[in-house]
Amino acid sequence: MAHAEITLAHGGGGRLTQQLIERVFGPAFRNPALDARHDGAVLNVPAGVRLAFTTDTHVVKPLFFPGGDIGALAVTGTVNDLAMCGARPRWLSAGFVLEEGLPMETLERVVRSMADAARAANVEIVTGDTKVVERGKGDGVYINTAGIGWIEQPGTIGPAAVRPGDAVVLSGDIGRHGMAILAQREGLAFESPIVSDCAPLWPAVEALLAGGIEVHCLRDLTRGGLATALIEIAESARCGIAIDEAKVAVTEPVRGACELLGLDSFYVANEGRCVAFMPAVQADAAQSLLARTAPGGPVVSIGRVSGGPAGQVTLRSVLGVERVLDRLSGEQLPRIC
Amino acid sequence: MAHAEITLAHGGGGRLTQQLIERVFGPAFRNPALDARHDGAVLNVPAGVRLAFTTDTHVVKPLFFPGGDIGALAVTGTVNDLAMCGARPRWLSAGFVLEEGLPMETLERVVRSMADAARAANVEIVTGDTKVVERGKGDGVYINTAGIGWIEQPGTIGPAAVRPGDAVVLSGDIGRHGMAILAQREGLAFESPIVSDCAPLWPAVEALLAGGIEVHCLRDLTRGGLATALIEIAESARCGIAIDEAKVAVTEPVRGACELLGLDSFYVANEGRCVAFMPAVQADAAQSLLARTAPGGPVVSIGRVSGGPAGQVTLRSVLGVERVLDRLSGEQLPRIC
């Protein structure tokens, strides 16, 4: 269905975001880097150097939440997109859209948090821009970060390298970031507060690469969550993926909150979790490397890549029932990042 | 004076923008690339390759204006910031913040315009992101672009290279972009409509570099206009600059509109004009190279760098009266880029 107007769902990371990319941005900007459909572009600069380049605007609401804030998110999100290209994150830009009337103290707190996150991820914020819009034309602060990283290993990491038989390893429990935001936004109080999983993923990726794992693809589980990440990779790689539901860790507070609100944790955003694809024979080695270096929760091999049908992600439940995961068609959680 | 809240003037490119950089962003993000206080960061990647990296968010209002639109501006503005680092513009990212309810046709028109501007500037848009915010939390569309360019010449172009005795060459008439926006926004009708000067500056920079000009500094004349660009360079270079007012070209429509609205054309934004600093002995050669390649209007050597006082820009009027140019303290034209 063609939409005459932008809806919140166009920014949700699901079917309408994909349509926007395929019908509006793709045809206008077409080039090989965009076609790769990955978290960032891989660029060949002179002298055989390869860079990754990526961008993300953050419009999260509220600005501050358990486990982070918009500043930490703006740095960590872009750092993680670079890591997912197999690139060592190195430099960030920061572009601010401030709403008239924003308390200076809020900006200072956000900026300090960006500086802390940059230090933690070992990147530098080297260039920036600030715009101010009138009251009612923004929402406190929006932050765009773009990032550059170096790719040191020779291979290409991305959906095109995924092969039938590859293992799918998941680095931790899912659903925390989205539910932390939602609980904060809706004023929900749970017995144990849900804390965002916002954390840099490069140390985990570096460990895989240094450990000799033949990493085929990496994807962080942001907007649209684990399900959307797997569907996008299955579509780009023209493979099927079969996941064992019981192996996917979801903490009790997240599971409870999802049930209460009628949400599926497989579609809830994370900011410090990824899936890694590698030859099945290396899955155990990859798991133990990730268990020592990934930011949190159990590291588990949750499934396998199959020959097909292309683009189909199948979830086998605890009871042995299989169901096919669909892209989100509407908007599950607006402004979670 | 310390401000407890963000005001529109914090985004105007004048004194308050500078305060924000010096008091909030600078101390938090401190690193050598930021300290250079130039349009973009110069980065050393492996194998001796040098890159320029820059970012700009565009919030121009209205979205469409004579001579351009937010899409053309978002591409051209970043391309020009790279060119001002002496870098060949190569790759852009694009981050959209769309307001719920934006007509799809408007987005498509803006995106086509970005694609056209990218083709004209010979750059590729290689990575992107889209966020959607609720009605009343944005204003149609805001666009961030970050850009990467290659630096091919060995020297460093920037305020630190400026020397007393350098000539200051201006590439065309000033004030068009800001007045085109303002006329459109306020519904002013002039005899001859004022058209934005929005255009890429790299061909002009490339001609200077290929022509053997020892380019010390380049600066495009965006927010804050010619006056602010010169003041910033004089401060960073710890030099004085003396400008001959009569040599600065302002078209009749721009002059008339500025008089009508009580604005000083020296502070009005441009999007396709720059100043270039080089040894005085090369000024004639630089002028003739720019006259063939810069986007519009007469190319003139408008003044000289002096020993001091550091940071002082002096304007000698047609009548021989000298006055010192000040930074804008308030907001002259909000949301002109």
Side-chain angles (χ1 to χ4, degrees):
Chain A
M1 195 188 74
H3 283 69
E5 282 188 357
I6 292 293
T7 66
L8 285 174
H10 282 104
R15 198 183 303 271
L16 289 184
T17 304
Q18 186 196 17
Q19 276 186 17
L20 210 55
I21 292 170
E22 288 180 356
R23 296 183 189 175
V24 179
F25 300 123
F29 301 151
R30 186 156 301 293
N31 59 64
L34 270 187
D35 289 345
R37 303 292 301 273
H38 199 39
D39 282 317
V42 174
L43 309 173
N44 293 300
V45 296
V49 175
R50 288 194 308 157
L51 299 179
F53 183 33
T54 186
T55 188
D56 245 328
T57 307
H58 292 82
V59 299
V60 67
K61 181 184 183 172
L63 297 177
F64 302 93
F65 49 83
D69 61 28
I70 190 171
L73 209 57
V75 169
T76 307
T78 292
V79 158
N80 285 350
D81 282 346
L82 293 171
M84 296 301 102
C85 297
R88 178 187 300 278
R90 196 61 196 82
W91 297 293
L92 299 189
S93 65
F96 296 86
V97 176
L98 308 179
E99 186 189 11
E100 185 186 13
L102 176 73
M104 193 63 75
E105 190 275 335
T106 303
L107 178 63
E108 287 165 350
R109 196 172 150 200
V110 166
V111 165
R112 274 196 303 271
S113 171
M114 291 180 76
D116 290 344
R119 246 186 313 274
N122 204 20
V123 295
E124 287 175 314
I125 296 169
V126 292
T127 188
D129 177 61
T130 308
K131 294 294 190 311
V132 180
V133 295
E134 306 90 330
R135 265 173 230 270
K137 301 294 180 188
D139 199 4
V141 50
Y142 299 149
I143 306 175
N144 175 282
T145 49
I148 300 178
W150 299 347
I151 299 176
E152 290 159 1
Q153 81 288 353
T156 295
I157 292 172
V162 169
R163 295 284 171 270
D166 279 1
V168 182
V169 175
L170 169 63
S171 75
D173 62 303
I174 64 167
R176 280 216 242 150
H177 177 72
M179 296 320 290
I181 295 291
L182 203 61
Q184 173 86 353
R185 197 189 293 168
E186 306 295 334
L188 302 179
F190 298 108
E191 258 175 64
S192 344
I194 301 172
V195 175
S196 170
D197 60 326
C198 182
L201 290 166
W202 169 248
V205 173
E206 187 176 27
L208 290 179
L209 297 173
I213 302 298
E214 187 188 309
V215 179
H216 288 168
C217 189
L218 296 163
R219 184 69 58 105
D220 55 347
L221 313 177
T222 53
R223 273 188 295 184
L226 173 62
T228 304
L230 293 174
I231 293 166
E232 284 182 2
I233 291 170
E235 287 180 353
S236 299
R238 300 173 200 285
C239 293
I241 299 177
I243 299 296
D244 190 343
E245 186 171 13
K247 292 194 173 163
V248 175
V250 185
T251 62
E252 262 321 303
V254 169
R255 190 182 303 276
C258 282
E259 272 171 20
L260 190 70
L261 297 165
L263 296 171
D264 182 342
S265 59
F266 274 63
Y267 292 88
V268 175
N270 310 271
E271 290 289 342
R273 302 290 181 262
C274 67
V275 284
F277 291 68
M278 74 284 299
V281 61
Q282 294 191 313
D284 287 348
Q287 263 177 256
S288 61
L289 288 164
L290 287 175
R292 287 200 297 272
T293 53
V299 174
V300 183
S301 182
I302 60 168
R304 283 293 178 95
V305 176
S306 68
Q312 186 169 296
V313 179
T314 314
L315 197 66
R316 186 202 306 265
S317 77
V318 187
L319 303 173
V321 182
E322 287 199 350
R323 64 181 173 107
V324 174
L325 291 181
D326 267 334
R327 270 186 194 268
L328 283 183
S329 53
E331 172 58 283
Q332 196 190 36
L333 294 174
R335 299 186 54 188
I336 37 119
C337 62
Chain B
M1 196 186 76
H3 284 69
E5 282 190 356
I6 291 293
T7 65
L8 285 173
H10 282 104
R15 198 182 303 270
L16 288 184
T17 305
Q18 186 198 14
Q19 276 187 14
L20 211 54
I21 293 169
E22 288 180 355
R23 296 183 188 174
V24 180
F25 300 124
F29 300 153
R30 186 156 302 293
N31 59 64
L34 269 188
D35 289 343
R37 302 295 299 274
H38 199 38
D39 282 318
V42 174
L43 309 173
N44 293 302
V45 296
V49 175
R50 288 194 308 158
L51 300 178
F53 183 32
T54 185
T55 188
D56 245 327
T57 307
H58 291 82
V59 300
V60 67
K61 180 184 184 173
L63 297 177
F64 303 93
F65 49 83
D69 60 27
I70 191 171
L73 208 58
V75 169
T76 307
T78 292
V79 159
N80 286 350
D81 281 346
L82 293 171
M84 295 303 100
C85 298
R88 179 187 300 279
R90 194 65 197 81
W91 297 295
L92 300 189
S93 64
F96 296 87
V97 176
L98 308 178
E99 186 189 10
E100 185 186 14
L102 176 75
M104 193 63 78
E105 191 275 335
T106 302
L107 178 62
E108 286 166 351
R109 198 174 147 200
V110 165
V111 165
R112 275 197 303 273
S113 171
M114 291 180 77
D116 291 344
R119 248 187 311 276
N122 204 22
V123 295
E124 288 176 314
I125 296 168
V126 293
T127 189
D129 177 61
T130 307
K131 293 295 188 312
V132 180
V133 295
E134 306 91 330
R135 266 174 231 268
K137 301 293 181 190
D139 198 5
V141 49
Y142 298 148
I143 306 175
N144 175 282
T145 49
I148 300 178
W150 298 347
I151 299 176
E152 291 161 359
Q153 81 288 352
T156 295
I157 292 172
V162 169
R163 294 285 172 269
D166 279 1
V168 182
V169 176
L170 170 63
S171 78
D173 62 302
I174 64 167
R176 281 216 242 148
H177 177 71
M179 297 319 293
I181 295 292
L182 203 62
Q184 174 86 355
R185 197 189 292 168
E186 305 295 333
L188 303 180
F190 298 108
E191 260 176 60
S192 345
I194 301 172
V195 175
S196 169
D197 60 324
C198 181
L201 289 166
W202 170 248
V205 174
E206 187 177 27
L208 289 179
L209 297 173
I213 303 297
E214 189 188 305
V215 179
H216 288 167
C217 188
L218 296 163
R219 185 69 59 104
D220 55 348
L221 313 177
T222 52
R223 272 188 297 183
L226 174 62
T228 304
L230 292 175
I231 293 166
E232 285 182 1
I233 292 170
E235 287 180 354
S236 300
R238 300 173 201 283
C239 294
I241 299 177
I243 300 295
D244 189 345
E245 185 172 12
K247 292 192 173 164
V248 176
V250 185
T251 63
E252 262 321 304
V254 169
R255 190 182 302 275
C258 282
E259 273 172 20
L260 190 68
L261 297 165
L263 296 171
D264 183 342
S265 59
F266 274 62
Y267 291 88
V268 175
N270 311 269
E271 289 289 344
R273 302 290 181 263
C274 67
V275 284
F277 292 67
M278 72 284 299
V281 61
Q282 294 191 312
D284 287 349
Q287 263 178 256
S288 61
L289 288 164
L290 288 174
R292 288 199 297 272
T293 53
V299 174
V300 182
S301 181
I302 59 167
R304 284 289 178 95
V305 177
S306 66
Q312 185 169 297
V313 179
T314 313
L315 197 67
R316 186 200 306 262
S317 78
V318 187
L319 303 174
V321 182
E322 288 198 349
R323 66 182 173 105
V324 173
L325 291 180
D326 265 335
R327 273 187 192 265
L328 282 182
S329 52
E331 173 58 284
Q332 195 189 39
L333 295 173
R335 297 185 57 188
I336 38 119
C337 62

